[in-house]
Amino acid sequence: MNIVLEDPMKDRYILFEIKQIPILLVAEKLGIQIRGRKAMCFRGHDKLTPSLSFMPSKNIWKCFGCGQGGDVINLVMQALDCDFKVALEWFKQNYLLYTTDYKDNYNKKNSRNNYEGKSLVTRIVAPEESDKEKAFYSDPEIYDWVINECSSVKNALGLKYLSDHGISSDNATHFGVREMRSPSNLLSKMKQQWGLERVYRSGLAWGENGFPERLIWTSYSVLFPFIHDGKVVYIQGRLFEGNSKYLNPRGISKPIFNLQRLNSLKVGSTIHICEGITDAIAIESLGLASVAVLGASSFREEWLDLFMRYDIVILPDGDSGGEIFFETISKMFKKRCKAVYRVSLPLGKDVSDLIAEMKRRRTRGTFNR
Ligand SMILES: [Zn+2]
């Protein structure tokens, strides 16, 4: 079956997904022997020194011998000497991609029992449950625009929230944290810039049938962008009024916060997995690597591969939800024979509480000197 579907939205999904697959993994799967970030060119012109070079941060490659280069799709086309269509087919064979027949593929692959170890997908957009949910998709262009449109946190409410969670202004700026002051202003600008349909489908607005009525963040909020390979793929808002504290884009499955941290993490390093965004930022502010998984149920089996090469420390919140979080995720790793460490937190505390407390004490200490 052809991977290029009739639906242009689906095509965008698939290409977007493919381009997220780390280039070194694609090269590995193609059988290219990588040394560091270099390899002998598959065209055979290298005799002594490798001239094929990979840039994981941009997810591109370049051969300084023959001048070829490009993204992951170009790599497959050049290495297999095939056209675009065949290259897409290759990705479909080797990775689980978001297609209408996703579930069939998944079942087939599982029943052949070759799913494990075969597929490593940094899938941003998951298969959705119902038709209603299919109305929404992660739209990095709009999310990126929103983050640029909003300013860094200056309001006292937002600043207090950050410092209560152990996050300085510098930490916040580093992670692109923003504040959203006027929902109606932002929504009308968004509609002007991107059109009703696209704003609606980005999951950032309430409303029905493609018509965005109100922004999901209905009052002043602090916005946390999820950045993968330089693109904003998701935004969580922290509200301070109304019933919901956290509001996420509608109908879009939650990616890992700070996932791109893994790109710069050496094999064998320690990665800290916690439950909240502020926890991850607070841990990072101590110079440690951390990602946040927003709820155990959002942790996907295909993400395991991303962590296998690191020492894993899980820091669940000190409550019953934290217990479930640890149990669920540690079991998933156990199935893959991967041990994880756990840091137990005092009852009712999360990581950022403790780090904030520690920083306050440290500050007081400095004043006393
Ligand atoms: Zn070459």
Side-chain angles (χ1 to χ4, degrees):
M1 131 143 215
N2 197 336
I3 192 169
V4 182
L5 305 171
E6 297 305 311
D7 182 354
M9 207 69 85
K10 287 269 159 51
D11 295 351
R12 278 191 50 203
Y13 269 142
I14 290 168
L15 289 178
F16 175 66
E17 274 194 77
I18 289 176
K19 287 174 183 175
Q20 308 297 314
I21 303 172
I23 194 143
L24 289 174
L25 295 172
V26 173
E28 224 166 57
K29 207 177 275 290
L30 286 165
I32 298 170
Q33 303 252 324
I34 305 156
R35 307 173 203 162
R37 288 177 179 184
K38 292 193 161 289
M40 302 298 246
C41 184
F42 44 77
R43 303 203 146 204
H45 56 71
D46 285 334
K47 296 290 173 256
L48 292 169
T49 51
S51 47
L52 192 58
S53 186
F54 298 94
M55 278 150 274
S57 59
K58 291 182 178 163
N59 222 31
I60 55 171
W61 63 285
K62 168 103 187 150
C63 176
F64 294 96
C66 60
Q68 298 285 343
D71 61 11
V72 286
I73 301 174
N74 284 312
L75 181 64
V76 172
M77 285 167 67
Q78 296 292 333
L80 301 181
D81 195 25
C82 66
D83 64 17
F84 187 72
K85 254 184 160 177
V86 174
L88 293 190
E89 198 56 45
W90 182 88
F91 280 103
K92 199 189 170 192
Q93 295 295 321
N94 286 284
Y95 299 91
L96 281 172
L97 298 169
Y98 181 86
T99 62
T100 43
D101 56 353
Y102 169 85
K103 279 186 179 138
D104 293 341
N105 271 342
Y106 185 85
N107 292 335
K108 259 186 256 155
K109 283 181 182 176
N110 269 341
S111 63
R112 273 193 263 125
N113 201 24
N114 61 355
Y115 167 64
E116 263 191 53
K118 183 183 179 191
S119 171
L120 194 151
V121 186
T122 52
R123 187 168 51 247
I124 308 301
V125 182
E128 307 292 0
E129 294 305 318
S130 69
D131 283 337
K132 191 177 158 241
E133 279 178 329
K134 272 182 199 161
F136 306 106
Y137 64 92
S138 169
D139 194 330
E141 269 188 298
I142 293 189
Y143 299 166
D144 194 64
W145 179 89
V146 166
I147 292 301
N148 279 318
E149 203 57 32
C150 297
S151 65
S152 57
V153 180
K154 295 188 187 83
N155 183 292
L157 196 60
L159 287 173
K160 181 175 186 308
Y161 172 74
L162 293 176
S163 86
D164 283 351
H165 288 81
I167 299 171
S168 70
S169 297
D170 281 353
N171 301 149
T173 306
H174 179 75
F175 282 90
V177 181
R178 295 287 191 270
E179 66 183 5
M180 192 283 302
R181 292 178 200 174
S182 167
S184 52
N185 263 349
L186 184 61
L187 183 63
S188 63
K189 275 192 187 172
M190 261 167 95
K191 289 195 283 196
Q192 257 180 354
Q193 181 77 20
W194 302 100
L196 300 181
E197 176 82 13
R198 223 175 130 185
V199 169
Y200 178 80
R201 283 175 164 259
S202 74
L204 295 187
W206 301 115
E208 275 174 45
N209 305 322
F211 186 79
E213 276 168 26
R214 282 182 311 145
L215 205 66
I216 52 168
W217 308 302
T218 47
S219 56
Y220 173 84
S221 322
V222 174
L223 305 183
F224 296 93
F226 289 50
I227 301 165
H228 289 189
D229 297 324
K231 289 182 200 146
V232 181
V233 296
Y234 197 81
I235 304 175
Q236 180 174 80
R238 171 61 157 90
L239 280 72
F240 300 89
E241 286 174 24
N243 296 325
S244 307
K245 278 206 286 191
Y246 302 101
L247 267 166
N248 301 317
R250 300 170 70 185
I252 295 166
S253 54
K254 299 167 186 160
I256 295 176
F257 177 76
N258 203 28
L259 184 63
Q260 69 173 11
R261 186 62 164 86
L262 299 183
N263 293 342
S264 60
L265 203 59
K266 286 200 188 107
V267 176
S269 308
T270 301
I271 183 77
H272 301 80
I273 302 179
C274 46
E275 290 188 67
I277 295 173
T278 52
D279 300 329
I281 298 178
I283 294 174
E284 286 279 346
S285 77
L286 302 178
L288 302 170
S290 179
V291 296
V293 171
L294 306 182
S297 60
S298 76
F299 196 84
R300 300 192 224 136
E301 201 146 349
E302 64 264 26
W303 288 348
L304 293 170
D305 289 302
L306 302 172
F307 292 94
M308 295 304 278
R309 59 183 67 183
Y310 305 113
D311 281 343
I312 300 165
V313 177
I314 300 182
L315 301 100
D317 293 348
D319 56 23
S320 55
E323 280 306 314
I324 296 169
F325 183 82
F326 177 77
E327 282 300 311
T328 311
I329 294 179
S330 62
K331 255 184 209 157
M332 289 169 84
F333 279 111
K334 211 171 172 183
K335 270 193 198 158
R336 302 282 297 271
C337 301
K338 176 82 178 167
V340 301
Y341 300 92
R342 172 184 185 159
V343 173
S344 292
L345 300 175
L347 198 66
K349 296 278 184 188
D350 63 28
V351 184
S352 63
D353 292 337
L354 294 186
I355 293 176
E357 219 168 87
M358 191 188 81
K359 284 183 175 175
R360 276 194 294 273
R361 250 186 255 137
R362 199 197 277 162
T363 314
R364 276 202 298 272
T366 316
F367 286 146
N368 289 341
R369 253 175 243 153

